[in-house]
Amino acid sequence: MPTDDEDTRINQGIALDPDSPELTETDFLRAQEARQAVPSLANVRRVRGPQKAPTKTLVSMRLDPDLLARLKSDGPGWQSRANDILRQAVGL
């Protein structure tokens, strides 16, 4: 945590920055959703392009529901964690 002196200097720098003015209540009242402010971008779907050099092979396998639930319970990235577990199990 910054000291009181550091905090004061930080806030002074913020206040003097012309590229980042503090927003007022009026600014917030005038704010619009992005899809209203720039309608041409509202329905743009970004799609990931092809890999330059695929590093993994797509496979399909059947897993017990409780195993899959356990893998997914740690959140996003479960496929990579499963890959790491399999590598360790086969000694790679």
Side-chain angles (χ1 to χ4, degrees), residues 62-73:
R62 295 181 181 277
L63 301 173
D64 292 331
D66 58 337
L67 174 60
L68 185 59
R70 174 59 186 92
L71 288 168
K72 288 183 171 184
S73 71

Side-chain angles (χ1 to χ4, degrees), residues 2 9 12 19 48 58 60 64 79 92:
R9 287 197 317 266
Q12 286 173 343
D19 293 325
R48 181 178 175 181
L58 178 64
S60 176
D64 292 331
Q79 294 100 329
L92 292 177

Side-chain angles (χ1 to χ4, degrees), residues 13-90:
I14 292 170
L16 295 174
D17 184 354
D19 293 325
S20 184
E22 190 158 344
L23 297 176
T24 65
E25 189 164 334
T26 303
D27 293 324
F28 284 105
L29 292 173
R30 287 188 308 197
Q32 297 177 346
E33 292 182 14
R35 64 177 173 221
Q36 291 173 328
V38 189
S40 61
L41 297 178
N43 294 322
V44 174
R45 286 193 70 188
R46 291 188 169 88
V47 180
R48 181 178 175 181
Q51 291 181 344
K52 292 180 183 175
T55 57
K56 298 193 177 181
T57 303
L58 178 64
V59 297
S60 176
M61 61 189 300
R62 295 181 181 277
L63 301 173
D64 292 331
D66 58 337
L67 174 60
L68 185 59
R70 174 59 186 92
L71 288 168
K72 288 183 171 184
S73 71
D74 289 333
W78 68 269
Q79 294 100 329
S80 295
R81 287 190 298 277
N83 187 75
D84 295 341
I85 292 167
L86 287 169
R87 283 183 146 286
Q88 188 175 19
V90 299

Side-chain angles (χ1 to χ4, degrees), residues 2-16:
T3 65
D4 288 343
D5 185 46
E6 291 170 329
D7 196 46
T8 299
R9 287 197 317 266
I10 290 168
N11 285 321
Q12 286 173 343
I14 292 170
L16 295 174

